[in-house]
Amino acid sequence: MPKVKTKSSAKKRFKLTGTGKIKRKHAFKSHILTKKTKKQKRNLTKFGTVHKTDLKNIKLCLNMK
């Protein structure tokens, strides 16, 4: 049976933490930044964790089971 490949898009977007949680970047930080406040842009720079409702699908994409 062939190996199961990891989704390339998921591989680039998510990282695993030491405790097993999945890190993600915030959206809305790539363009149209002039109308966003400094505070808003600063908070979008920080990493967040994936919500529990999305966890199952992302683990499938990363072949984590």
Side-chain angles (χ1 to χ4, degrees):
M1 194 165 168
K3 290 183 179 178
V4 181
K5 289 189 176 181
T6 302
K7 300 273 189 220
S8 292
S9 58
K11 185 170 48 177
K12 294 167 190 173
R13 287 178 172 87
F14 304 107
K15 295 279 181 250
L16 198 64
T17 63
T19 57
K21 295 177 183 174
I22 300 176
K23 285 196 310 187
R24 64 169 177 84
K25 284 195 124 181
H26 284 276
F28 308 110
K29 185 72 196 315
S30 57
H31 59 91
I32 314 175
L33 298 172
T34 50
K35 62 176 80 169
K36 293 172 187 151
T37 62
K38 287 179 186 177
K39 182 179 180 180
Q40 194 175 3
K41 288 184 276 191
R42 185 173 60 244
N43 288 334
L44 289 173
T45 302
K46 299 171 185 172
F47 279 91
T49 54
V50 172
H51 195 265
K52 64 179 182 180
T53 54
D54 300 320
L55 212 53
K56 184 181 174 186
N57 286 330
I58 292 168
K59 283 188 175 183
L60 281 173
C61 291
L62 295 172
N63 293 327
M64 291 174 53
K65 297 180 184 178

